[in-house]
Amino acid sequence: AEGRDVEQDAALVSGHRPIVPQRSDRIEGHAWSMTSHLLFDPDCGFCTTIADRMRGWPLSTTIEPLSPGWLADPRIDPVRAQREIPFLDGDHTSYGAEAFGRALSTGPLPLRLVGSAISQAPVLWLARPVYRIVASHRHELPGSTDACRLPER
């Protein structure tokens, strides 16, 4: 495929994913590109704390603040994105617990197993209400501010 270099081809053939930086501040001119993004509410201290911790994990996805530019992306439902974190992977968008699980699934085997479990039934059936409870109380959690309070429905 166009745009790939020899190292990327070798990594794909060997079954190993290329090593990529964990933050969205990618190096210009680097031969790889990321296609998945976990987006968080940058006004929420709790969300930012969790995002900062996740940036230290070996995930092959960017973890970025949800900006007006992202909200204009046609793959994102702006109303839903205010209540649940979106995860974009190509043309597919997931939200909330599934988004968290799918982001974890971009990591090495232990994280991939946890992420896969979270983002699929039957664990997802439990993860969704737990996510909603945490999200609705995020303004009461460590690292939170009043900006963490979700808007009224």
Side-chain angles (χ1 to χ4, degrees):
E2 274 188 66
R4 273 212 234 120
D5 67 5
V6 175
E7 288 178 2
Q8 284 178 312
D9 288 338
L12 293 174
V13 169
S14 70
H16 295 94
R17 288 193 289 203
I19 297 173
V20 295
Q22 299 302 304
R23 298 182 182 261
S24 59
D25 50 348
R26 299 181 287 244
I27 301 166
E28 282 297 319
H30 211 42
W32 58 270
S33 66
M34 281 190 200
T35 58
S36 66
H37 309 275
L38 182 67
L39 307 173
F40 68 94
D41 180 352
D43 296 328
C44 174
F46 175 73
C47 298
T48 302
T49 299
I50 298 301
D52 286 344
R53 287 188 181 156
M54 288 181 71
R55 283 182 175 136
W57 299 352
L59 303 175
S60 295
T61 189
T62 63
I63 300 171
E64 302 180 44
L66 184 62
S67 65
W70 277 116
L71 288 172
D73 188 305
R75 297 172 293 173
I76 294 178
D77 174 346
V79 174
R80 191 168 182 192
Q82 297 299 318
R83 303 194 77 73
E84 301 175 89
I85 56 170
F87 178 78
L88 286 77
D89 188 7
D91 290 334
H92 182 79
T93 304
S94 51
Y95 294 89
E98 183 181 358
F100 182 71
R102 290 185 47 126
L104 292 180
S105 295
T106 69
L109 188 59
L111 290 174
R112 200 173 325 140
L113 291 174
V114 171
S116 182
I118 290 171
S119 58
Q120 297 179 49
V123 176
L124 183 59
W125 299 337
L126 298 172
R128 282 181 177 148
V130 168
Y131 182 92
R132 279 192 295 272
I133 290 168
V134 170
S136 66
H137 293 280
R138 68 186 193 173
H139 61 283
E140 300 167 346
L141 297 172
S144 66
T145 64
D146 278 344
C148 299
R149 189 178 300 273
L150 289 176
E152 295 294 322
R153 285 187 175 215

